[in-house]
Amino acid sequence: MRGSIKGAAGKIGERLWLAFANLNMQQKLLIVFLTLVCLPLVMISYASSYYYTRSIKANTSAYGTEMTSKMLQKLDDYVTDLYNMSAMPLYNKDFLNWLANPETSLDKTRGMDLYITNLNKIKPDTVSVYVFDNYGTVTLNVKTGGKRNNLDQVRTEWAKTAAEGDGKPMLVSTQEVTTGKEAYYAFSVIRELKQTQDLSPIGFIVFDTNITAIKRQIQDFDQVTKGKTVLVDDRDRVVFDSEGQMTTRDLSADASIRRATGNEGSFPYEIDGKKYITTYAKSSLTGWKMFVYIPMADATRQATVTRNVTLLTSAGFVILALLIAIAISYALTRPLSKIKTLMQEVQTGNLDVSFNQKYRDEVGLLGRHFNIMVTRIRDLLEEVKETQTRKKEAEYAALQSQINPHFIYNTLETIRMKAELNDDEEVADMTFTLGKLLRYGVNHGEQRVAIADELEHLYNYVALQNMRFSNKYTLIVDIPERDFKIPSIKLMLQPVVENAIHHAFKQRMGPGTIRIGVRHEGEQSVFTVTDDGSGMNEDQLKEIRDHVYGRRPLAVAGRGIGLRNVHERIKMQFGESYGLRIDSRPGEGTTVELAIPGRQDEKEAEDRC
């Protein structure tokens, strides 16, 4: 998959380059000038906008997180004050005695009412204070609106919460409070009251605080961030919502609430298609979490303005650069267009043209050399007429001096017959075999031959070598007869075998075996030439491969010259997907694989022959 994508990208790049190369010089100069001007401007604009926006986002996140923590700390201070207020009755002995006494008297009633009234005046947002004793009596003070409609219902819940606190203040999340006159949202602080002597519970006190106490601390911060703030309790129920639409709602399924797993932090978040920077902090006192949603557009508005100004400025520079590029490209290409016109005149045969050289720049030098070239062409035309006659005479003389290849064959045949007359059969056989080798190699009429012809030539070559080296080499051919007609290039196998004889068995005194085989891989026939010679190590194998595949120049008489010749001729005849592969191991011999078209291409290859 990756290779196909890479190949497709390469083809697209090649087409784009071809389209660019076919443009005239003025168009090329315009494209180059605009690229050199526009590319840096676009990159600088993008980089400055990107990093400026990212910096603003990071600073906004850090500032928002810090301010969220500070706002939550202020809220903790407020709740701490409420906790301290709930503990004040514990330091008033008269109040504790009145609460523990089941009897009702005028002094008790007035004293408790006065004390509770004073407690309710400490904090401006404290709406009401309720004190319950163990005898079913409730003493209360309400600033506005009257007492709760559901006081009897919540009393049981408050008593249970107070008992769970066992003398410690308990915080109850925001609830909707309805009275006879109005409804509002309030959160409560409850504390169980005990005797100082034996710590026995004698009742509990409840402070209802309007959430305006939270709103007053948060609204200024929302005006700065242009966003909204949500405060949730430890069960993810909304304590306060600056928009006033989600108070007391359960947000445990909200994605932004679930992402806030630490004590504080920030993350990007999207609500109804609008992007926000969300910061949060968790109170160590109450366990409540405050979320601040800062609109991304407002936070990055200055960055957007900067980006737009940069783009407009860049567009102005691009237009100016375009005008300058048009003027420069016209001035540079006008003399070239003149030379092009003069060259077209020369192409039609008109040599009476001349370029008017005004400047000494590269174009002026080009025009000067054009004039010299036209003058030289006129002189050469005269010389050509004279040399044509001399050339024909020289070619005729060269043809007469060539040695006819048939003279070589006839001479070898005469030597062979002479050796037979003298009963020297070995010399006669060697001469006869050498003659067949020369006849096969010198005949230039055919570039492709059948594998059968290659094998016959190879048999003659090995036979001649065995005459020289006392039958040292054994040739084993393991090729089915049906593959004998596969077309190949002439002299494909013999150079490979010759390479093995000269190098693989160079250090061996004993016999050597060379095996020829074939296998078929799809549309390819792969012929293998395997010897049992000395082989090569990794460095030698890499060196010979570099030589054969053209990655390193060949030595004049180095190993691999014949292999490289065969490899290049196969690629020239059949295509880039064919050629040689070499593998070897020290002491185990060498294998050379020659890939050519298979049997399915026989008819087509024979037609080309």
Side-chain angles (χ1 to χ4, degrees):
M1 182 65 181
R2 185 180 297 176
S4 62
I5 294 175
K6 188 176 181 180
K11 290 181 180 179
I12 294 174
E14 184 178 353
R15 290 176 182 174
L16 291 176
W17 172 253
L18 184 61
F20 176 78
N22 289 328
L23 297 175
N24 59 48
M25 187 60 67
Q26 186 173 4
Q27 293 171 332
K28 290 179 181 178
L29 287 174
L30 282 175
I31 292 175
V32 171
F33 287 155
L34 290 178
T35 301
L36 293 177
V37 173
C38 294
L39 187 59
L41 284 176
V42 171
M43 292 180 65
I44 291 173
S45 300
Y46 172 79
S48 60
S49 175
Y50 173 78
Y51 286 107
Y52 183 49
T53 303
R54 196 169 87 170
S55 175
I56 287 180
K57 290 179 181 178
N59 292 337
T60 301
S61 298
Y63 171 77
T65 302
E66 181 181 358
M67 292 304 299
T68 302
S69 299
K70 289 183 178 179
M71 294 298 299
L72 197 58
Q73 183 60 47
K74 289 183 179 180
L75 181 60
D76 287 350
D77 293 341
Y78 189 89
V79 174
T80 300
D81 291 342
L82 293 177
Y83 285 171
N84 294 334
M85 287 171 55
S86 68
M88 291 176 67
L90 298 175
Y91 301 97
N92 190 315
K93 293 182 179 181
D94 292 337
F95 182 84
L96 293 179
N97 291 331
W98 290 333
L99 190 62
N101 189 357
E103 297 179 359
T104 303
S105 64
L106 183 60
D107 290 339
K108 172 183 176 180
T109 302
R110 288 179 178 177
M112 291 188 67
D113 286 342
L114 180 61
Y115 187 75
I116 293 174
T117 300
N118 291 332
L119 283 178
N120 204 13
K121 292 180 180 179
I122 296 175
K123 288 287 185 181
D125 296 298
T126 304
V127 180
S128 55
V129 179
Y130 300 92
V131 177
F132 299 89
D133 60 17
N134 293 338
Y135 310 107
T137 304
V138 57
T139 305
L140 57 91
N141 178 263
V142 179
K143 289 182 179 177
T144 58
K147 70 175 182 178
R148 286 173 173 255
N149 291 338
N150 63 341
L151 184 61
D152 294 334
Q153 178 183 348
V154 299
R155 176 177 181 171
T156 304
E157 299 176 3
W158 285 350
K160 183 179 178 181
T161 302
E164 291 176 356
D166 192 25
K168 295 181 180 178
M170 302 294 288
L171 184 63
V172 178
S173 184
T174 300
Q175 297 177 352
E176 185 177 8
V177 178
T178 58
T179 66
K181 297 181 180 181
E182 61 181 353
Y184 57 90
Y185 289 102
F187 63 93
S188 305
V189 172
I190 304 172
R191 182 190 290 267
E192 186 178 47
L193 301 176
K194 297 182 179 183
Q195 281 284 15
T196 56
Q197 294 85 1
D198 55 2
L199 298 179
S200 60
I202 56 176
F204 61 91
I205 188 170
V206 179
F207 290 85
D208 272 349
T209 304
N210 198 311
I211 60 172
T212 54
I214 302 175
K215 181 178 180 180
R216 189 164 44 251
Q217 299 188 41
I218 291 178
Q219 60 184 1
D220 293 338
F221 183 52
D222 285 345
Q223 290 179 0
V224 174
T225 62
K226 308 298 182 182
K228 62 180 181 179
T229 301
V230 176
L231 182 66
V232 298
D233 60 18
D234 53 357
R235 294 181 298 173
D236 295 332
R237 299 186 67 87
V238 178
V239 177
F240 173 79
D241 169 27
S242 59
E243 293 182 345
Q245 299 176 356
M246 298 186 297
T247 308
T248 72
R249 186 183 300 178
D250 185 3
L251 295 183
S252 57
D254 187 86
S256 62
I257 303 299
R258 293 200 305 268
R259 288 183 65 176
T261 57
N263 291 327
E264 65 177 20
S266 64
F267 52 85
Y269 190 63
E270 186 171 330
I271 304 175
D272 298 331
K274 190 174 181 180
K275 296 181 178 180
Y276 292 86
I277 297 175
T278 304
T279 63
Y280 69 92
K282 182 178 180 181
S283 170
S284 59
L285 176 68
T286 63
W288 292 357
K289 284 186 178 180
M290 180 177 290
F291 291 83
V292 177
Y293 299 87
I294 305 173
M296 190 80 73
D298 292 320
T300 59
R301 181 175 285 109
Q302 186 61 41
T304 303
V305 173
T306 302
R307 180 195 62 195
N308 294 338
V309 171
T310 303
L311 290 177
L312 289 175
T313 305
S314 300
F317 278 113
V318 169
I319 294 174
L320 179 62
L322 177 61
L323 297 176
I324 296 174
I326 292 174
I328 294 177
S329 62
Y330 177 76
L332 292 177
T333 57
R334 185 179 178 184
L336 294 175
S337 299
K338 179 64 176 177
I339 293 177
K340 172 188 171 184
T341 303
L342 295 177
M343 287 183 174
Q344 291 174 343
E345 290 290 328
V346 173
Q347 185 177 0
T348 60
N350 181 16
L351 298 179
D352 296 326
V353 294
S354 177
F355 178 76
N356 185 15
Q357 179 184 357
K358 293 183 180 180
Y359 307 105
R360 298 180 62 183
D361 58 359
E362 287 79 0
V363 178
L365 292 175
L366 179 62
R368 177 188 172 194
H369 287 290
F370 171 79
N371 293 336
I372 296 173
M373 179 191 70
V374 172
T375 302
R376 182 59 178 162
I377 288 175
R378 287 197 294 263
D379 295 339
L380 288 175
L381 286 176
E382 297 297 328
E383 295 178 7
V384 166
K385 294 179 182 179
E386 183 178 353
T387 37
Q388 284 295 331
T389 303
R390 296 179 181 178
K391 182 180 178 182
K392 290 181 179 179
E393 294 176 355
E395 289 178 350
Y396 180 75
L399 289 173
Q400 284 185 330
S401 64
Q402 287 182 348
I403 300 177
N404 193 330
H406 292 286
F407 172 75
I408 298 176
Y409 306 147
N410 294 335
T411 302
L412 287 174
E413 183 66 17
T414 301
I415 295 173
R416 184 181 69 83
M417 294 178 62
K418 194 73 172 177
E420 288 183 350
L421 291 175
N422 294 331
D423 295 329
D424 195 341
E425 295 182 359
E426 185 175 358
V427 174
D429 290 342
M430 292 180 68
T431 305
F432 178 71
T433 304
L434 179 60
K436 292 201 301 184
L437 291 175
L438 288 175
R439 188 181 300 275
Y440 183 81
V442 173
N443 183 7
H444 297 285
E446 297 179 351
Q447 294 298 323
R448 299 189 188 180
V449 296
I451 287 296
D453 297 330
E454 275 292 284
L455 292 175
E456 182 180 356
H457 178 69
L458 187 60
Y459 287 136
N460 292 330
Y461 173 77
V462 175
L464 191 62
Q465 291 292 343
N466 280 328
M467 292 178 188
R468 293 177 58 199
F469 298 104
S470 303
N471 295 320
K472 179 179 180 180
Y473 307 109
T474 300
L475 178 64
I476 300 175
V477 178
D478 188 13
I479 298 178
E481 188 174 350
R482 65 178 181 275
D483 292 332
F484 283 1
K485 294 183 180 180
I486 294 177
S488 71
I489 63 171
K490 183 184 288 187
L491 296 177
M492 181 180 76
L493 298 175
Q494 181 265 329
V496 180
V497 174
E498 180 180 357
N499 188 78
I501 290 176
H502 286 176
H503 299 286
F505 305 114
K506 185 175 181 181
Q507 305 297 330
R508 177 184 291 186
M509 298 301 296
T513 301
I514 300 173
R515 187 180 299 272
I516 312 293
V518 66
R519 69 176 186 275
H520 300 282
E521 298 178 352
E523 297 182 354
Q524 292 186 355
S525 291
V526 181
F527 289 86
T528 59
V529 179
T530 304
D531 63 66
D532 59 353
S534 57
M536 293 177 283
N537 57 36
E538 289 294 331
D539 293 337
Q540 293 173 328
L541 181 60
K542 182 180 183 303
E543 182 179 0
I544 195 68
R545 284 173 176 170
D546 290 343
H547 287 328
V548 172
Y549 300 146
R551 295 192 291 262
R552 182 182 299 181
L554 286 167
V556 177
R559 185 173 186 179
I561 295 178
L563 298 181
R564 178 170 176 176
N565 178 273
V566 173
H567 177 68
E568 292 179 348
R569 287 192 295 117
I570 289 176
K571 294 172 74 67
M572 289 175 60
Q573 286 292 322
F574 299 116
E576 293 296 325
S577 60
Y578 302 98
L580 266 67
R581 295 190 291 266
I582 307 171
D583 193 17
S584 181
R585 292 185 179 179
E588 298 182 11
T590 301
T591 297
V592 178
E593 296 182 346
L594 305 96
I596 62 175
R599 289 193 299 268
Q600 59 270 34
D601 297 331
E602 287 177 23
K603 188 176 184 304
E604 180 184 350
E606 289 176 352
D607 292 340
R608 289 198 298 265
C609 292

